[in-house]
Structure formats: structure tokens, C-alpha cells
Amino acid sequence: MQTHEISHRFLNYFKSTGHTQVASASLILEDPNLLFVNAGMVQFKPYFLGDVPPPYPRATSVQKCVRTGDIDEVGKTTRHNTFFQMAGNFSFGDYFKADAIKHAWTLITSSQADGGYGLDPDRLWATVYEDDDEALALWQEIAGLPAERIQRRDMVDNYWSMGVPGPSGPCSEIYFDRGPEHGAEGGPVADESRYLEIWNLVFMQHLRGEGHGKTDFPILGELPAKSIDTGMGIERVATLLQGVDNVYETDLVRPVIGKAEEMSGRRYGSGNQVDDVRFRVIADHARSGMMLIADGVTPGNEARGYVLRRLLRRIVRSVRLLGVTEPVLGEFAAVVRDTMSPSYPELATDFPRIESVMRKEEETFLATLASGSKIFDLAAEQIKADGRALLPGDKAFQLHDTYGFPIDLTLEMAAEKGLSVDEDGFRALMAEQRARAKADAASRKTGHGDQSVYRELLAQGPTEFVGYESLSAEATVRGLIRDGQRISGAAEGDIVEVVLDRTPLYAESGGQESDAGTITGLGVELEVLDVQKVARKLWVHQVRVRGGEITEGQHVEANVDPEWRVGARQGHSGTHVVHAALREVLGPTALQSGSYNKPGYLRLDFAWSSALSPETRSEIEEVSNLAVRKDLPVRVVYTDMGGAQELGAVALFGETYDETVRVVEIGGPWSRELCGGTHVEHSSQIGPITLLGESSVGSGSRRLEAYVGMDAMRYLAKERALVQNLAAMLKVPDVEVPGRVEALIERLRTAEKELEKLRAGQLLSSAGTLADKAEDVNGTSLVALQVPDGVGGGDLRSLAVEVRNRLGSRPGVVALFSADGDKVAFVVATTSAARDNGIAAGKLVPSFAAAIEARGGGKPDLAQGGGANAGGIGEAVNALRRALDGS
């Protein structure tokens, strides 16, 4: 049975039993505890926590997941994967243990002809939590499992929580016995390679308290509404139903390995275990990388971007170790697209952008490999010159951490040069880095704060937002909050949170700042400072009490500042226009990856790998303003996600949408985006759009900034005044200012070059004087001194060579130092006669390096570098003198 069919049957079964099918969430959700979605229940956490009332009593989904904690173990075993699909069924206070067990057993044991998976009941085992007698009895009653095929396990294995205070409970796992050829008898407690876990049923019935780890927390009591959260591993079931040994041999993974075999000429499973690891790394990471890029992640040096970069670079590294040197990521991307797009069509529709991101990262990494190889070669030469044969662990770590140079390649290249690597030292430094990262992540892990005060208010119903139709609304104060606690009233000068039953004030979301405005009532006036959504349903207004006293239950009028709203509408509609213009000029792959807008200003981040030329920026600005001039109609359409996709509406990366979505059109199909922001009614109301600039915000991501409306006019007026002032100073017409400025700059550069020549000539003219000052140290003429401050490395080198030439045929060493603040530049040169006596410039550097905190080296005839302690130059000269004297 193909993997897509396994997913299809799961969803069909649970839909037939009254579950609402919910689409997979993005791998990127706003959760402080997660880098990526790593379980099927993540998108349902607000329902389990009680932050938001569930819109349905039971649900089912096939969720895409990424877990990256064991990246380094991927490939070494067949059990570790970073990307996987988790099928699940969920009950929010509806059914509980009996029905959860019944549904799971029915689906996996029903015949394939009846829509099930047809697994042999006699090969199925179950585990239960150590004191969960109820679950054990239900397995016997419902499934007919004999007692010997139900095993009890402790809290580490069979108790679940989110890792933070909140819902928790015992779980029950279903295992399939793959047979004696896969391991020892005795059930899951004996061998989890033979007994493969395929499904975990979590019985969410307890409330856990503060604590750490899987066991160190108290159980505070029973939940008022017991729920169900299950997860069935799609890839694991595919392994069983396709009769293969592991997930790497299933229909969605093996084709990637096949492409790697085709490119390398080597064979997976031929007995070369090292090669097999590389094949598995390629197959796993290609899928994970594709799915992350599809959800808006771009390679970078932090957080999600760093994880993606590691995944893609591990593919390139593995392929190189298989003997392939040409670019490969585009080839693997095409295979993943072809195999995975039946379940994830965005991999096909967005393929040009995804492939572009992967190819750009590969180009960057190949360049990194080239530069890393040079660093390695220099280190290897120095190690050999010093008579050693071990590359230090800190050097291997520097290559890995600073240059992204994989340790496997370091080991391979070291072996080629007859060197070994201090792997223990390297791994110790890696462990320290992981420990720091883990501690940092733990310090940032905020868990879930006390949301009970908002839950109480949300239980009264969501806030009614009327801001699309009106700038004012009569309302009732539903709640007042300060420091997370309900209060009955607030007086002048207080800053509190106000929850109304209805409001016209836009809450910050979708990149748009919240509205400014006021809330007034009998004898009271509140200034609105900020508006935020809680659980996407409750509008929370942060206010300052300007006068009077506000109390719960009071009738008030909420008003949006009309000037603010005009500017806000211009800013948000302007963002849509610039986005559409960007895609018109650059193509459909230039998709927005983030935005921010406020009255008069917009900022738009988009996926693109190179800087835009001035001509391209001008074209984007012109297309944007043409759209404004055309007075395009703006229309809002409410539909479901399927209808939005049929319209071709653009959904933004990482955003979460409700079942009913709002599509904003500007000029019909020219600009169609899912958006909850406030907008103009015709594009002409945006006013002029002026691009301020374009910049990089990370690898593969660029940023455009612009002013709109009156702010654009004011900006242009300032620019005009600046040009007019320059024209007056230069005494030329406005149109001649650029040419005149260019001419002045050229004259300045010419003058600077002439001055540089004069200064260099004066410096070199002192060579004879310096040579005459040479002192005899143990038969060697030494010129060691500090030259005037600010002399750069190039000039210092030229002077040292000239002084050396003036020493003639005698043994001589020239060491010149120049300070620039705390920094030091130095050059050491030796004559031929000195080198004949065994004196090498490169070997003299260590004698004085500590004095000036130096780094650098070179060849026997010439060495140069820099230091960080100019105050140590005198000691460096003395140290060099002692080295020559042999003392």
C-alpha cells in the first residue's frame, strides 16, 4: 500500500466516524517552546489548554512534523528521521479511552478491502501506563488482546505531557511484531527494533504542575474535561504495509536514494555501511529541507534558518563523500517534489522558489568549502613545519563553527595529508556549544503563562470586531485587567487592559500596527496605547486613564483616530501593491516572507538571493505607482481555504488561518492575498509610493522599505530641498548636480592617490637610514623598531623589503611594527645569508607574538600579520632580540 493511500485511508476512516478533517498546519507556528511543529497535536494545543473553545468536538489530521534534536544520528540508524508525517485523531472533551482504543483497533485490523490496513491481530501488542488498569482491561475487552501481549511501562515511556504545566495523562502504545529475524522475543520491553511502535494513544486526564524532565513534576488532579490525542506514524505503517525493512526503503524515501545512486555510481545496501549512512542522510534531509523551505524558512545563521542550513549542507557533504562534486540539490528537490506533491501540492506549485533557495545555498556552501580548504591547508602546513602530526581539536572546531566545514571532510583531508585529528577535543568543544545552546533555549522557554483571566472572558464569547465597517462603536466593558488579575475599576493615570464586547479598533496582526484611538464613557476618557488579540478571538486594549474612573460593566464608546486609520489603510494596501509589483517585475517566486506597516510606512521582506539593481528598484516603484494611478478597485471576499486557493490568493508563510478566510483583491487577480488588515477602497487612495531602499536581512531574504501617502510627499520634498541646496552650493542647475558631484569625487580620489604616492616615497626614502641603524646580535644584523603610526600592511611590507635589500650580503633580520590605536601591523624579513644560517622569518613570529597578542605567519623569507596590543611593541622587539641571541 502506497504512503499516500495510508494517509487517505486514515482520514477517510475518522471522517466516517464524525471527526472534522483539519489540514496540516505549517511547520512554523507561534509557539515559544517549539522551533518547528514536532507532533500532530501542536496546532490543537489552544483547545487542550482551554485557551480557545474548540470549534468541533473531534478532529483528525495528517500533520507534517520536523524533529531536529538528533540530526547527527540521522543515517547512523534507520530509526532516526527529521521529517515525518503524524496521523492523529483528537477528542476535545468528547469520547475517551474506550472509543480511542476501538477506533485504533478497528482501523489497523480491518481488511484492506473494507478500508483498513489489514494488520494481523495476532502480531499486535499494546503497552499501558504502570497503574492504568482501565486501559489494560479495555484492550482485553475491545481488542481481545491476551494479557501476555499487554505490557505495563513506567512514566518515562508511557506518560505524556507538553513539558510545561497543563494537561497530561497516561498513554497506550500499539506495537507490531516484525518477527524473530528482527530481534529478541519478549514484547516491546525486550526489543523495540523487532516490536515496532506504530501508534500512541494519549489519555489526557490529569493536570500537571511545575517541574522538569519526563518525571519530575506533580500531578495536581483530574481534568474537568478528559480528552484524546493520538499519533500514528505514517512512515512506520508504510514500512510494514510495503514489506520493507525500514522507512528509508518506502515509496516516498527510496527514490531519493535511487537518485543518489545514479549520480554517484555506488549502491545502497551493498555492504558499505559508511556509504549507507550517507545515502540515508541525503534521503532524510532532502525531504526535510524541501518541506521547511515550502513553509517559508530560508537558510541562515540563527534558529530555524541555521537548522535548514545544516540539513542542506549535510546533503552536499554526504554527496561529496560519495564522490559527486557537481551541484546536486536541484536534482534531489525534483525527486522530492514528484514523490511528495500528491499530499503536499505546494511543493509543485512553489517549486521554482524552493529550488532557487536550495541552489543558492549549495553555491554558498561550495564557496565555503573552497575557503575552508584553504584554511585547512595553511593549518596543515604549519603543523608539518612544526614537526607535529595532529590537527588540534580547536582548529577542527573553528573550521566547523566559523566556516561551516564538516568534521567528516576535515578527517578525510587530514588523512590525505598524513595527519590525524584530535576528535576528542573537537567533540568536547561541540558538547560545550550544545550545552550553551540548550541552556540558552531553556532560559527562553517561557511555557504557557496564566491565561485563566482571559479564558474567563473568552467564555463569555469572542470580541465582535466592527472596524471594517465603522470607526466607532457602542460597547460594554467586559473586563479590566492589571498584572494578570481582574480588577473592578481603574482611576486617572492608571494603565490597564480593557476587554470590550465589541470594538472598532484593529488589533496588531498581519504586520499591521494596532489602531490609535479613545474609549470614552460617562465621566471617563481612556487613551488607547495598544490593541492585541488573545487566542485570536479576544481584543485586549491597553489604555491609559486620562480622566475619571472606568469600571467593569460600564457602557462606553470606542473610537478609532480617523487620521491614523487613513494612514494605516494606505500603509497596508501599499504593502499589497508593492508585493504584487515585486512579483510582476521579478516573477512569482519573489514571495513575501514578512511585513510591517503603519501609517505612512511599509516594510516588506521577500525571498530573493541577490541585491536588486537600481533599475529594478525603479521599475518596482513605477509599477506600484501605475497601480495607484489606475484607481484599481479593492474588493474583499470571504471564503474557505479551498476557495481561496482556487482564486489563486497568496497565503503568507507561518500565518495561521481560520476556517473562513478573508481575501483582499486589488485590481482583481493582479493582487489577491489572504489578509485580515484594513484597506483602502480604491488604489488611488494609497497616494504616492516612494521606495526608500532595499537591503539584505539574511541569506536568501531581502527587504524593501517605502513611504506612502503624505509621508512619501514629505520625503520627496526633503529630497528636493537637498538637491536644491547642493545646486546652490555648487552653483549649477539641479540636473547637473550628479555630474558635478561625480567630478568632485574623482578629483578627490586623484588627490588622495597623489598624496599616497608622496607618503610611500617618503617612507621608502628612510630605508637607508633604518639599515644604517642595524645592530649586531649574535652575528646577525637586526633592524627591529616601530615606524610611524598608521602605516598599513602593504607599505610596511615594501619598507621592510627595501631595508632588507640595503643590508646586502650579510645575515640580517628586519622587523618593523606600526600601531593604529590598539592594533599592530608587523612584517619580518630575512636576508638570504640569514636563511642559510637557519633563521626563518615565519619561525621568528612566535618569539614575540604573545607580547602584542599577534596572529600571522609566513615563509622563511617574509612573514607578516597583526596584533591587538600596541603597548607591547617594545617588549616584542626585546623578545625578538633575545630569540636571535639564543638567550
Side-chain angles (χ1 to χ4, degrees), residues 227-451:
S227 298
I228 289 294
D229 156 29
T230 85
M232 186 192 84
I234 292 289
E235 283 81 3
R236 291 193 176 188
V237 174
T239 299
L240 298 178
L241 295 183
Q242 293 173 21
V244 295
D245 185 64
N246 57 71
V247 298
Y248 290 97
E249 297 175 10
T250 57
D251 60 319
L252 298 189
V253 186
R254 189 59 175 83
V256 183
I257 293 178
K259 173 57 71 172
E261 289 177 318
E262 175 188 323
M263 300 177 76
S264 66
R266 303 188 192 184
R267 290 292 169 264
Y268 178 67
S270 62
N272 186 327
Q273 294 300 319
V274 175
D275 278 359
D276 284 354
V277 169
R278 294 163 183 164
F279 280 120
R280 289 194 285 265
V281 166
I282 292 165
D284 174 85
H285 291 4
R287 296 208 313 159
S288 302
M290 282 279 285
M291 302 305 293
L292 290 174
I293 296 169
D295 276 355
V297 183
T298 55
N301 292 323
E302 295 181 357
R304 297 182 177 109
Y306 179 69
V307 172
L308 174 59
R309 172 160 284 168
R310 278 195 71 194
L311 292 171
L312 297 182
R313 292 187 171 191
R314 278 170 61 87
I315 297 173
V316 178
R317 177 206 68 189
S318 298
V319 171
R320 284 177 65 89
L321 293 175
L322 287 173
V324 182
T325 56
E326 65 266 20
V328 296
L329 290 186
E331 299 282 346
F332 294 134
V335 176
V336 175
R337 173 200 61 197
D338 295 342
T339 56
M340 297 292 291
S341 57
S343 291
Y344 304 99
E346 63 271 21
L347 295 180
T349 56
D350 202 19
F351 185 72
R353 182 189 65 83
I354 296 170
E355 184 189 36
S356 174
V357 172
M358 295 181 78
R359 287 188 183 278
K360 179 63 178 178
E361 179 60 19
E362 183 167 24
E363 291 171 6
T364 301
F365 184 44
L366 291 175
T368 297
L369 285 176
S371 61
S373 296
K374 293 177 183 176
I375 300 297
F376 172 84
D377 289 341
L378 288 173
E381 287 178 14
Q382 187 64 51
I383 289 168
K384 286 189 170 184
D386 293 343
R388 295 178 289 126
L390 182 70
L391 183 74
D394 60 350
K395 178 59 70 174
F397 180 76
Q398 179 194 12
L399 287 166
H400 170 85
D401 193 52
T402 305
Y403 298 97
F405 210 59
I407 184 63
D408 287 358
L409 280 181
T410 302
L411 290 168
E412 184 179 85
M413 294 174 66
E416 289 174 356
K417 292 185 176 291
L419 301 175
S420 57
V421 179
D422 177 13
E423 291 188 67
D424 291 340
F426 168 80
R427 300 195 189 287
L429 290 168
M430 286 292 292
E432 288 177 16
Q433 185 188 62
R434 288 195 189 100
R436 288 193 299 270
K438 188 174 182 180
D440 184 52
S443 70
R444 293 196 306 269
K445 188 172 181 177
T446 59
H448 293 271
D450 185 4
Q451 299 284 306

Side-chain angles (χ1 to χ4, degrees), residues 759-839:
R759 193 185 65 79
Q762 290 176 341
L763 190 64
L764 290 176
S765 68
S766 65
T769 303
L770 295 178
D772 291 340
K773 294 180 179 179
E775 58 180 304
D776 184 272
V777 178
N778 198 20
T780 299
S781 296
L782 173 65
V783 178
L785 49 84
Q786 180 176 354
V787 301
D789 292 350
V791 177
D795 289 340
L796 200 63
R797 178 186 179 116
S798 298
L799 180 58
V801 170
E802 184 63 25
V803 173
R804 179 181 65 184
N805 293 340
R806 298 294 182 97
L807 293 178
S809 59
R810 49 185 163 153
V813 174
V814 180
L816 303 182
F817 301 83
S818 177
D820 185 1
D822 291 333
K823 296 181 179 179
V824 184
F826 70 83
V827 176
V828 180
T830 58
T831 63
S832 177
R835 294 193 295 277
D836 290 341
N837 291 341
I839 300 173

Side-chain angles (χ1 to χ4, degrees), residues 700-722:
S701 186
R702 310 292 299 179
R703 171 172 292 172
L704 280 174
E705 296 179 87
Y707 284 139
V708 298
M710 288 302 300
D711 287 84
M713 293 291 293
R714 295 186 187 103
Y715 175 78
L716 292 173
K718 289 179 181 178
E719 293 282 292
R720 181 177 61 196
L722 176 63

Side-chain angles (χ1 to χ4, degrees), residues 97 127-137 151-155 158-159 169-171 203 205-206 219 222:
K97 290 184 185 179
T127 61
V128 297
Y129 183 51
E130 53 192 6
D131 65 359
D132 194 351
D133 296 333
E134 180 188 6
L136 188 147
Q151 296 182 324
R152 297 180 187 266
R153 306 190 80 169
D154 62 15
M155 203 168 194
N158 274 60
Y159 196 90
C171 52
F203 308 132
Q205 64 189 84
H206 298 145
I219 302 300
E222 295 281 319

